[in-house]
Amino acid sequence: MFRKIAVAAGLMAAAFAAPAQAQSYPEKPIEFIVPWGPGGGSDTLMRIVAQGLTEETGQAVPVINMPGVGGNVGLAEFAKRPADGYTISQIHEGLLVSNQTGITDLNWDSFIPVALVASSPQYLTLSKNDNFSNFEELVAYAKAHPGAVRAGVTLGGIPHVHIAMIEEAMGLQFSYVGYTDTGERIRALMGGNIDIAIGDISSAKQFVDNGDLIYAAVGTEERTDDAPDVPTLKELGMDAELVITRGVVLPKGTPQETVDALEAHIEKVMQREDVIKLMKNAGADPVFYGQEKYSAYLDKLNATIAKLVGKLEG
């Protein structure tokens, strides 16, 4: 009789071990490796998330910047860290591009996607010119003049992917001109050195408001509060999203109960009014995709980038 009771007690202890562990996580500080330098979009937004996690969990979440090679230096270091839930990191679309173009062997599925937390809308932005002033006119002109439209991009980067997606979806052919960052592309657009580029609210809206540039379309599912008169690409007949998303990941091999616990903490963080306000002030939309939805998003995007990789390398 005692043996049966002992066995039953052992089974009950095993059954409750995982939930107990999940409830106690985290029991010490969590190091947050941000694979980008201080002051940029990833750094700013992830510090907001880190502060929210600190307040939700009662544990410090120090941000450690590890920039280099488009985020790949920090992620390579992160991949070596123990899979115990006490080191987290951040990825965005740039990792997928780096993988598909051979810069790194790491990809989104080299890690455990825990939660997508921020989305920055990207706008197809036009110079003021005599050939087109909206999306429909751009498409018509580009079809009639293959290669004549000059597209400013970061070669092999996310803006290159976004322009290539438009090119592929609408059956167009652009000429690509490379720039190092968004600010440089917008200045080139203002100067008439290129015809189209991908912009965002912080870099281009003042020039759009002044009438110097034109937002032709936004790559979000719905129109944005910042530019409610700008149609979405879906409204214009293109089934694609042009956004830069940022999410939190864990090392492969992290126990599922720890992954679930971190996901639950982040979900609460993303419901906080202070976090929502700070993210919006930083030019991003606060969002929350859990493990399943975030993984599905990354998988679909990876397939799109794989299809476009020839354009990115050419």
Side-chain angles (χ1 to χ4, degrees), residues 289-309:
Y289 286 3
Q291 299 168 57
E292 186 175 346
K293 189 173 182 180
Y294 188 25
S295 294
Y297 168 80
L298 291 168
D299 190 39
K300 180 180 178 181
L301 179 64
N302 194 60
T304 299
I305 294 173
K307 186 171 65 173
L308 297 174
V309 69

Side-chain angles (χ1 to χ4, degrees), residues 184-237:
E184 191 177 45
R185 291 195 304 275
I186 296 303
R187 289 192 294 273
L189 203 60
M190 288 283 294
N193 298 313
I194 54 176
D195 303 303
I196 65 174
I198 298 298
D200 55 24
I201 287 296
S202 61
S203 65
K205 191 173 189 298
Q206 60 180 318
F207 304 114
V208 173
D209 289 345
N210 291 340
D212 296 322
L213 297 177
I214 300 166
Y215 279 151
V218 64
T220 48
E221 290 188 0
E222 299 179 354
R223 296 192 183 197
T224 66
D225 293 337
D226 290 313
D229 295 331
V230 178
T232 68
L233 286 170
K234 289 189 176 181
E235 289 178 59
L236 298 167

Side-chain angles (χ1 to χ4, degrees), residues 44-72:
T44 299
L45 294 170
M46 293 308 105
R47 286 183 185 274
I48 295 170
V49 174
Q51 181 59 35
L53 276 172
T54 295
E55 294 175 4
E56 283 295 328
T57 65
Q59 295 290 347
V61 184
V63 170
I64 310 298
N65 295 100
M66 291 188 183
V69 195
N72 294 297

Side-chain angles (χ1 to χ4, degrees), residues 19-187:
Q21 182 176 347
Q23 289 171 4
S24 63
Y25 171 84
E27 297 179 310
K28 61 181 181 179
I30 301 171
E31 184 178 271
F32 197 158
I33 293 177
V34 174
W36 301 90
S42 290
D43 178 64
T44 299
L45 294 170
M46 293 308 105
R47 286 183 185 274
I48 295 170
V49 174
Q51 181 59 35
L53 276 172
T54 295
E55 294 175 4
E56 283 295 328
T57 65
Q59 295 290 347
V61 184
V63 170
I64 310 298
N65 295 100
M66 291 188 183
V69 195
N72 294 297
V73 169
L75 288 172
E77 172 61 29
F78 172 64
K80 303 173 186 175
R81 294 300 178 91
D84 58 5
Y86 288 98
T87 308
I88 64 177
S89 191
Q90 172 255 319
I91 64 171
H92 64 35
E93 286 82 350
L95 172 62
L96 284 65
V97 177
S98 291
N99 175 266
Q100 293 291 348
T101 54
I103 294 173
T104 179
D105 291 333
L106 297 172
N107 204 350
W108 71 271
D109 54 0
S110 302
F111 309 104
I112 299 175
V114 180
L116 186 151
V117 295
S119 176
S120 300
Q122 304 296 296
Y123 296 80
L124 175 62
T125 310
L126 314 180
S127 67
K128 295 296 288 292
N129 65 86
D130 297 329
N131 298 316
F132 45 82
S133 60
N134 57 41
F135 186 80
E136 293 91 340
E137 291 176 1
L138 165 64
V139 171
Y141 180 82
K143 284 186 175 179
H145 303 84
V149 175
R150 299 163 299 172
V153 301
T154 300
L155 294 171
I158 300 171
H160 198 167
V161 172
H162 288 161
I163 291 289
M165 287 169 68
I166 296 171
E167 190 179 38
E168 179 82 7
M170 306 308 295
L172 309 177
Q173 180 184 340
F174 299 136
S175 295
Y176 289 99
V177 183
Y179 296 94
T180 58
D181 55 39
T182 302
E184 191 177 45
R185 291 195 304 275
I186 296 303
R187 289 192 294 273

Side-chain angles (χ1 to χ4, degrees), residues 241-254:
E241 291 186 62
L242 272 60
V243 294
I244 295 178
T245 60
R246 294 174 171 91
V248 176
V249 294
L250 281 166
K252 278 283 194 183
T254 302

